[in-house]
Amino acid sequence: MSTDHSTTRIATTRLGTDGPVTGVQGLGCMGMNFGYGPTDADEARATLERALELGVTLFDTADMYGSGENEKFLSPFFRAHREELLVATKFGIVLDPEDPSRRTVRNDTAHIRKSVEGSLARLGIDTIDLYYMHRIDPEIPIEETVGTMAELVAEGKVRRLGLSEVTGDELRRAHAVHPISALQSEWSLFSRDVERTAVPAAKELGVVFVPYSPLGRGFLTGSFVAADKELTSGDSRRTMPRFSGDNAAANAALLEPVRKLAERRGATLGQIALAWVQQQATLRDMTVVPIPGTRKRSRLAENTAATRIELDAEELALLDPIADSVRGGRYADPKFTSAGRE
């Protein structure tokens, strides 16, 4: 008899050696009302509730998503279920109010303290479970940034610290100042630069790896090819080099082995791509908690079901070469990725 994956709760893991128990898959909440064009707010709220029912307990946002509007949108849900879930948010990327496409990075002490107070107020909670440095500020030593973040832990405003898009060396330097619970960076069939230094360092230090965009911002699901032609004008993916022009066409062709495996398994392309990321936990003997983003209950059920797909050695070998052939950078501005520093 087949299992109804739409009602099956996902397995659990621990957020660090002494951290809280969480689902093996979290939920990236940025797209609920920011970044990916128009949204159905009621469906997005229903998706949050359904995620919790399916065992998803790590919910991820950031103060830059909609200049705080994403945190405000999530607040009623977080407050209603405060003891059942983990709230993760971030500081460090600053949007220009005159031109939101212009972004800078600030990790100075004054900005961090202002940011945490702003997030707490918008979220309507007393303590943030996991507080990330969203991007590294080249003007400020990471030790100084983490030192300020550690003060927030001591003051009870934050429970655990995380970093995003840092290299293995940067993670070790930060961890020496205060324990880092999670490293969030892009990791998928299309983006594997983190495997050079960041992933080994996270394993060595017992840091949970939290892959964002494990579905390549939807590209790995086959839902679009040419972002500049198929996606709405407000969709941030239109500015990303690998999703437009010749790059997009070349990258779409790389999905063929994913498509073959999906057909063989009776799964979707997205489930195969996500299963590959989920399985890195077993393959590398470390904790990996991907945070695919969705605002639809149907996609949520599809994503959580992927946690129960185990790829065999032959299937893994078929998928392994894909990343080497991907064309185009992850961002138009390379300073927002650790790839160049790996």
Side-chain angles (χ1 to χ4, degrees):
M1 181 180 294
S2 62
T3 301
D4 181 1
H5 291 311
S6 66
T7 60
T8 305
R9 289 176 64 86
I10 61 175
T12 59
T13 189
R14 194 170 287 279
L15 196 69
T17 52
D18 62 344
V21 172
T22 186
V24 295
Q25 185 181 112
L27 182 64
C29 298
M30 181 186 82
M32 294 290 175
N33 66 345
F34 173 75
Y36 288 170
T39 186
D40 180 335
D42 290 337
E43 177 63 18
R45 292 188 184 95
T47 299
L48 291 168
E49 296 286 349
R50 189 67 181 131
L52 199 57
E53 292 172 359
L54 292 175
V56 174
T57 55
L58 178 63
F59 293 83
D60 185 271
T61 181
D63 62 1
M64 70 150 286
Y65 299 159
S67 297
E69 290 303 314
N70 194 251
E71 290 177 324
K72 291 179 183 178
F73 179 85
L74 296 166
S75 175
F77 171 71
F78 287 164
R79 287 185 287 109
H81 301 284
R82 189 65 190 97
E83 301 306 314
E84 304 169 66
L85 51 77
L86 300 172
V87 176
T89 193
K90 317 176 198 72
F91 71 88
I93 298 181
V94 182
L95 301 183
D96 183 336
E98 300 300 321
D99 180 7
S101 67
R102 292 180 57 192
R103 303 174 181 185
T104 55
V105 177
R106 281 190 62 184
N107 289 342
D108 56 279
T109 296
H111 180 74
I112 295 171
R113 289 198 162 275
K114 180 181 178 182
S115 296
V116 75
E117 296 299 341
S119 287
L120 287 169
R122 288 186 293 270
L123 293 166
I125 59 178
D126 297 324
T127 308
I128 295 166
D129 297 305
L130 180 57
Y131 200 41
Y132 287 101
M133 177 195 78
H134 208 163
R135 291 294 187 274
I136 197 164
D137 183 343
E139 302 300 318
I140 298 178
I142 197 167
E143 292 86 352
E144 183 178 325
T145 301
V146 176
T148 300
M149 295 170 72
E151 293 173 3
L152 303 181
V153 176
E155 295 163 12
K157 295 174 181 177
V158 171
R159 291 196 173 97
R160 289 174 175 78
L161 304 184
L163 303 174
S164 181
E165 290 287 350
V166 299
T167 65
D169 177 64
E170 291 160 352
L171 176 58
R172 289 188 181 91
R173 287 166 51 199
H175 197 75
V177 176
H178 186 280
I180 302 299
S181 295
L183 169 55
Q184 180 179 149
S185 291
E186 187 167 354
W187 195 10
S188 72
L189 283 173
F190 265 32
S191 300
R192 297 180 59 179
D193 47 270
V194 292
E195 295 174 18
R196 295 184 196 123
T197 69
V199 168
K203 176 180 177 178
E204 171 194 323
L205 299 171
V207 175
V208 177
F209 206 102
V210 180
Y212 74 81
S213 296
L215 292 171
R217 296 179 173 81
F219 193 85
L220 289 167
T221 69
S223 59
F224 72 95
V225 175
D228 52 341
K229 297 176 182 176
E230 298 175 46
L231 303 181
T232 59
S233 59
D235 197 306
S236 61
R237 290 170 290 187
R238 290 168 59 97
T239 67
M240 296 175 180
R242 63 177 50 168
F243 300 143
S244 298
D246 292 342
N247 286 347
N251 292 336
L254 299 176
L255 295 178
E256 193 53 34
V258 185
R259 188 170 284 105
K260 287 181 179 179
L261 286 187
E263 291 173 357
R264 185 189 308 170
R265 288 294 201 113
T268 65
L269 275 73
Q271 286 179 320
I272 296 298
L274 194 48
W276 180 90
V277 180
Q278 296 279 172
Q279 204 161 330
Q280 297 305 311
T282 303
L283 295 171
R284 299 173 188 273
D285 190 26
M286 60 187 292
T287 305
V288 179
V289 182
I291 50 169
T294 186
R295 51 198 180 191
K296 296 180 180 179
R297 284 169 288 180
S298 58
R299 287 291 192 188
L300 177 76
E302 179 182 325
N303 291 347
T304 54
T307 66
R308 293 178 285 276
I309 297 175
E310 184 174 349
L311 302 171
D312 62 31
E314 181 182 343
E315 291 170 326
L316 291 167
L318 192 64
L319 299 173
D320 191 61
I322 292 175
D324 292 336
S325 300
V326 174
R327 290 172 49 173
R330 293 198 270 132
Y331 293 94
D333 187 342
K335 75 181 179 184
F336 288 100
T337 167
S338 62
R341 304 193 310 277
E342 282 284 355

